Amino acid sequence: MAVTPPAASSTPAPALAASPARGAAVRAAAPAPPPAAAFTARLPAAVSGPAVSPAGEEAGSGDRGGGVVRLAGPVPGALAHRYAALPPPLRVALAALRLEVLLGDPRDAANPYSLPALTAAPAAAGSAVCAGSAASAGAGEGWDGRAGVLLTAAGLGQVCAADQRVRALRPLLRRDLALGYAAGRWGGPGMPPARRVRGQDGESCPVSSPVPAALLGPAALVAAAGSVLRQAAFTVAGRGSGEPALRQWQPVLAAAFADLLACESLTCVALRRPAAPAPGPGAGPGPGAGAGLLGAVAGYVVPTVLADVLAQLGLVLAECGHGPASTGGGMLAKLTGDLPLAGVDAAGAAHWQARLARALPALAAEEPRTAHRGPLPAPFRLADPPAPAGIAAAGGQEGGHTPDGHESGRLAPDGHTPGGLEPGGYGVGGDSVVLSGLLRAGAARADGADGADTGRAALGALARRLLTEQRALRRPCRTAGADPGAVAARALADRQALLWLAAAVLGVREAADDGRGLFLGGTHWALLALSGIAGRLGVPLPGPAPDPRVPVWAELADRVRRGVDCDVYATRLLW
């Protein structure tokens, strides 16, 4: 049956028209979707993109010349649940599917949005590959104008919560960092591209874009790095049986996969965190001093950790014979060249590191002495709908339910959620209080872990080792703010940020461990990610512990074979 998308704004979204200047043809038949997927797609004959029905019209309601997207499923909620292991709201899944079909087959060199075409485009231009497609629709010059046409046709204007906007944009983010970053600054139908303003702390932030500036670059980098990882894993998994020498790269790719999941876990938590004013340069110690710093942590940690991951992927691709002229090598080279454009290079990471160094005295003062108790805050529960603040911003969940039937969080009469949490899922205090409490909770579980569950016991023991490191940082952090630019202060900021990354991993893993047997709720990836964090900190690992690299590699290879993305949501790919 055809699924009717949710209603859109009163102005119909324009469909992308065929450009006669190009005249190339894409493949007539699309590759078969994954077996469990509840959608199919048929490509058009023109390379400019299919005539996807705009948001608000029924998808697949007749062939009006161009190709159409047919979204099938027994009920609308089933499509969202089959779209990913952690399903998004229905309108988010529909927007992502429309966008993926509009972008076309990533393997067809005649498609301007294909991987070969995008990797051949200059990094600074970012939009030369699709010149002319938006001109026919009356868009302005530059990629920002063309992105508006493309994203409006996909229905992205209906998705305003930051974390859900990133999920809907992921088909573009995973193809090209520069184009995805530019599209992330789009504010909605009829809105100009998000302009840049400069705040007191020196960071730039977009105006009108729902995705914070500090998180847009890291989110785009995680998605783009995931595509390079899939290319490398596809080569090693496909040729490993015939070429045993390639099997040596399986543990390397497993560690890269765990690092990628850790970085995305932190980014997702920060995106789901309700906006809070960050402390100014002169803010002193006190409750809530760590509020708003998750963006700074992600802005520093994600580029830093993924720089190591990209270096490892470059080595794997080179050893597998994929040089710069190959698709995988070209993707990595293009991604590396686009890092400054998205602010996720070494200079961008240094900016956020300096901000963290200024906040160290306040963070040391507000650190809790007890473990986190009670239900996990909402930002860590990635399977839940967006927090009430994000739902309200999305403008339109009626009756307290999200489009795919999830019940949204309800507020008590005093304006708080049940359990004493704030509407965003946080209690009184800043991000550092919650994350430090999660690290303590993970360490406390080491004593009560079942001896038969070696993975949980090892994870708890590693969390306790990291907690010891965090306690050792309290005294030097109290005086680090005197000279935030000093090498010692930056080193302390680096260590504190890595510990927050570990706490985010523990929180996301615990929230996903809900009895459904999800990979994200297992201990293997978290143990491997925390082992990498401990290695970066120079903290010795507690032993003995099971080697998590074999099961993590098995999951990665299985995802590559089944057409599932390398993200925390386990999203099924259309192509």
Side-chain angles (χ1 to χ4, degrees), residues 219-260:
L221 176 58
V222 165
S227 293
V228 181
L229 174 62
R230 289 189 75 251
Q231 288 286 328
F234 181 81
T235 301
V236 173
R239 292 165 46 189
S241 58
E243 301 179 39
L246 295 184
R247 296 176 193 168
Q248 64 177 319
W249 302 115
Q250 294 178 1
V252 175
L253 295 179
F257 184 31
D259 287 340
L260 198 68

Side-chain angles (χ1 to χ4, degrees), residues 191-553:
M191 297 286 292
R195 56 188 176 89
R196 313 288 291 181
V197 297
R198 197 157 291 279
Q200 292 183 347
D201 292 330
E203 71 270 15
S204 297
C205 57
V207 177
S208 80
S209 173
V211 184
L215 298 173
L216 179 55
L221 176 58
V222 165
S227 293
V228 181
L229 174 62
R230 289 189 75 251
Q231 288 286 328
F234 181 81
T235 301
V236 173
R239 292 165 46 189
S241 58
E243 301 179 39
L246 295 184
R247 296 176 193 168
Q248 64 177 319
W249 302 115
Q250 294 178 1
V252 175
L253 295 179
F257 184 31
D259 287 340
L260 198 68
L261 292 176
C263 290
E264 190 175 9
S265 296
L266 175 65
T267 305
C268 289
V269 170
L271 286 168
R272 292 171 62 87
R273 172 73 163 98
L293 280 179
L294 269 181
V297 174
Y300 169 67
V301 163
V302 173
T304 303
V305 172
L306 291 190
D308 296 338
V309 171
L310 293 178
Q312 294 289 339
L313 294 179
L315 179 61
V316 174
L317 289 170
E319 290 295 322
C320 293
H322 290 265
S326 65
T327 300
M331 289 171 60
L332 181 59
K334 176 69 163 56
L335 172 58
T336 304
D338 287 344
L339 293 179
L341 231 111
V344 285
D345 57 343
H351 164 74
W352 296 112
Q353 185 190 39
R355 176 174 166 180
L356 291 174
R358 291 196 300 268
L360 286 176
L363 297 179
E366 74 167 4
E367 184 181 354
R369 298 180 181 274
T370 58
H372 175 81
R373 302 184 187 280
L376 282 166
F380 294 90
R381 302 194 299 269
L382 304 185
D384 289 359
I391 292 177
Q397 314 299 345
E398 300 178 359
H401 289 77
T402 59
D404 65 343
H406 290 301
E407 185 174 1
S408 62
R410 297 186 180 274
L411 301 182
D414 61 355
H416 293 75
T417 57
L421 298 175
E422 296 298 321
Y426 279 70
V428 179
D431 297 322
S432 64
V433 173
V434 176
L435 292 171
S436 298
L438 287 173
L439 199 60
R440 279 173 163 75
R445 292 187 185 93
D447 298 327
D450 185 1
D453 193 344
T454 56
R456 290 179 185 273
L459 190 61
L462 187 49
R464 184 164 51 189
R465 187 64 57 88
L466 295 175
L467 177 61
T468 302
E469 173 66 18
Q470 187 183 52
R471 288 169 175 165
L473 293 181
R474 291 191 66 187
R475 185 183 298 274
C477 281
R478 289 170 182 165
T479 58
D483 185 8
V487 175
R490 288 181 175 268
L492 288 172
D494 174 83
R495 301 184 77 80
Q496 184 64 61
L498 287 171
L499 290 170
W500 277 20
L501 176 64
V505 169
L506 290 171
V508 168
R509 190 218 68 82
E510 183 180 349
D513 187 15
D514 55 3
R516 288 187 290 167
L518 297 175
F519 174 75
L520 195 66
T523 59
H524 300 301
W525 76 273
L527 183 58
L528 188 53
L530 261 62
S531 299
I533 293 172
R536 291 180 175 92
L537 290 170
V539 174
L541 297 176
D547 187 355
R549 293 177 296 179
V550 173
V552 172
W553 163 253

